[in-house]
Each structure stands twice: as C-alpha cells, then as structure tokens.
Amino acid sequence: NALQEFSHHAEGHILNILALRSMAQAKYSPKNIGHFGLGFSHYAHFTSPIRRYPDLLVHRVIKSLLKCGRYELVLPPVQSSVGNFKKRPGAAPAKGLPKPPVKASSRVKMSTQEAAAWETAGIHCSANERRADEASRDVEAWLKCMFMRERLGDEYGGTVSAATSFGLFVLLDGLFVEGLIHITELGGEYFKFDEARQELRGERSGVRYGVGARVRVQVSRVDLDSRKIDFRIV
C-alpha cells in the first residue's frame, strides 16, 4: 500500500505526515460504521490499561457482556457519564468468552433516551479528546521553542514539510522541529504559490520550493508567546 511505498522513499516521513493530514479526524459515535483505512466493516477502538474515558465505557460494555448482561449508559445532570449494569433475568453465569451473536446489531434494542445518551457521550468525548490533543501540541511547541531559543544563528539541514502563500514550513533533520521561512526570506523576487503542486515558484528565476525539497536554514527568531520559530535560507 501507499504507506509501505513511503517507507522506502527518501522523504517518507514527510509523506506520512501529508497522508495523516489528508484523513478525516476520528470521532466517537454509537454508530458502528467500520474503519475505512483498515477495511473493517465493524471497528471499536480502546486501550488497556485504560487511558481515557471512552476506554472505560468500552471496558464496561465488554465486562457486562462477559457476565451475560448489558451495560446501559445513563447521563446524569453533570458533565461526566456514568452507567449501571443490568443483568438479564434468568441469565446463567458466563463460562469463558460468550459465543458471538450472528447479528448483534439487530439484537441490540435501545430506547430513544439511551441512544441519545450514547450520542451525547460520543460528542462530549470527541470534543475533550480534541482539547487534550491541542494542549499536548501546545506544550510540545513551547518546549521546542525553549530548545531552539538557545540555538539562534545555528544552521541545520531540513525538508520542506508544507508550502503556503506566505512561506515554507521546514522540518529540521533529526530534531523534528518545524519552523517557517517567510516568503520575504526567499530572495529579491516575487514568488507565486501553486496550490495544485504545493510549491512556491519564483517568477523571474523559475526556482521552485515544494514539499520534500531539501534546504539549509538558519534559526533567525524564536517567539515563546506565539510558539513560533522562524528560519532564513542559508
């Protein structure tokens, strides 16, 4: 597949990043629509040990199934989700793993209130996961700025990871630190952004800077407040 081909490419890491950026963000939902990338018609994601609240919900559902019961989600007035376990009347204790039903989806009957509770929990968990990701990226960006602040004027080799109308983003070799070369730092001519080719092209010289291009840069500015690092072409 494409990712396997990327692994043999000189700019494999950059191509992997572009592939990830092109994908839609995952979200939690009671509707099991499968997994497009893996080619699965049914898919559920959770970790063990539990690292987030959606993991806890999936663990509770699995635990109830192993006990021949059914987990019912109940949302309280507060912003967290709790549930209660209801065992089916007359159900015998489970011996090992239960046999998977032939048509599990058709046998699961939820009330309108319970279905709405799962939908609400999915929206809440998805939003909180986005917020956690943003916080992690912000801390990581701040630490990278702290690291590069002591290296003003140093030169590094790097690869263009993105091209925009206002400049080039460059990923430094070995450090995985990304910074911006503003379009005014590319030379004394007008550069036009080609969105289809994802590159900047000089109108007079015809020089091109596109994703995957190798450049050598100098660290020119680090702003801790805005979490930004600026480079200039050497």
Side-chain angles (χ1 to χ4, degrees), residues 164-212:
T164 69
S165 59
F166 54 85
L168 303 168
F169 285 96
V170 175
L171 188 66
L172 300 185
D173 297 340
L175 297 178
F176 295 101
V177 170
E178 193 174 52
L180 173 69
I181 303 176
H182 195 268
I183 195 167
T184 56
E185 297 286 348
L186 293 178
E189 65 175 312
Y190 179 76
F191 280 83
K192 185 177 180 180
F193 176 56
D194 189 331
E195 186 175 3
R197 295 179 178 272
Q198 287 293 294
E199 66 179 17
L200 287 172
R201 183 174 66 251
E203 278 197 342
R204 177 174 51 80
S205 64
V207 64
R208 298 182 178 187
Y209 294 103
V211 174

Side-chain angles (χ1 to χ4, degrees), residues 59-72:
H59 277 255
R60 286 174 175 173
V61 172
I62 293 174
K63 185 177 180 180
S64 65
L65 290 173
L66 292 175
K67 292 183 178 180
C68 293
R70 180 169 176 270
Y71 180 78
E72 182 180 343

Side-chain angles (χ1 to χ4, degrees), residues 1 18 40 51 60 117 124 176 188 198 227 230:
N1 56 26
L18 293 176
F40 294 159
R51 294 191 298 130
R60 286 174 175 173
H124 177 73
F176 295 101
Q198 287 293 294
R227 317 286 196 267
D230 291 336

Side-chain angles (χ1 to χ4, degrees), residues 53-76 80-88 108-111 114-115 117-118 121:
Y53 193 73
D55 298 336
L56 178 62
L57 290 179
V58 176
H59 277 255
R60 286 174 175 173
V61 172
I62 293 174
K63 185 177 180 180
S64 65
L65 290 173
L66 292 175
K67 292 183 178 180
C68 293
R70 180 169 176 270
Y71 180 78
E72 182 180 343
L73 179 68
V74 178
L75 291 182
S80 61
S81 305
V82 296
N84 52 32
F85 169 75
K86 291 185 177 180
K87 193 172 183 179
R88 291 198 299 268
V108 176
K109 302 297 182 183
M110 289 191 296
S111 64
E114 187 181 0
W118 280 106

